[in-house]
Amino acid sequence: ACQPPAAILALEGDLLSIPLGSRHGISAGSIGVPDLNLDGLTLLEVVRIEPSRTLLRPLDPSLHAKRFAKRRVYLVKAGLRD
């Protein structure tokens, strides 16, 4: 089966970054899905895509990016836009 791109999130200011970008198939229609934990499901919005780097932030503005640092995130196409 096909696996979605995955990486470990790093805190970068108020955002999160991963070392995957447009050359890895990440697009504006992608959404980040962190590993599940006791918080339940939280989605990450793609803020900016570079060739080898993507910046994300929690869709829920009450959640701080810091709580997701060092967690694995999977990037999936949400079909919202490309």
Side-chain angles (χ1 to χ4, degrees):
C2 188
Q3 295 289 329
I8 301 298
L9 292 159
L11 189 62
E12 207 168 303
D14 290 338
L15 298 174
L16 296 155
S17 70
I18 56 170
L20 301 174
S22 57
R23 74 171 61 165
H24 304 97
I26 309 301
S27 69
S30 298
I31 197 153
V33 182
D35 270 344
L36 289 176
N37 65 5
L38 297 176
D39 299 333
L41 178 63
T42 301
L43 300 177
L44 302 177
E45 172 186 19
V46 171
V47 176
R48 186 168 81 219
I49 305 165
E50 298 172 3
S52 295
R53 183 172 146 238
T54 299
L55 296 175
L56 305 104
R57 68 176 165 221
L59 271 176
D60 181 345
S62 71
L63 298 176
H64 294 282
K66 186 167 101 173
R67 77 189 298 169
F68 298 97
K70 299 181 182 174
R71 286 178 51 191
R72 180 173 301 279
V73 65
Y74 299 91
L75 278 292
V76 296
K77 294 213 185 250
L80 301 174
R81 61 181 188 259
D82 257 335

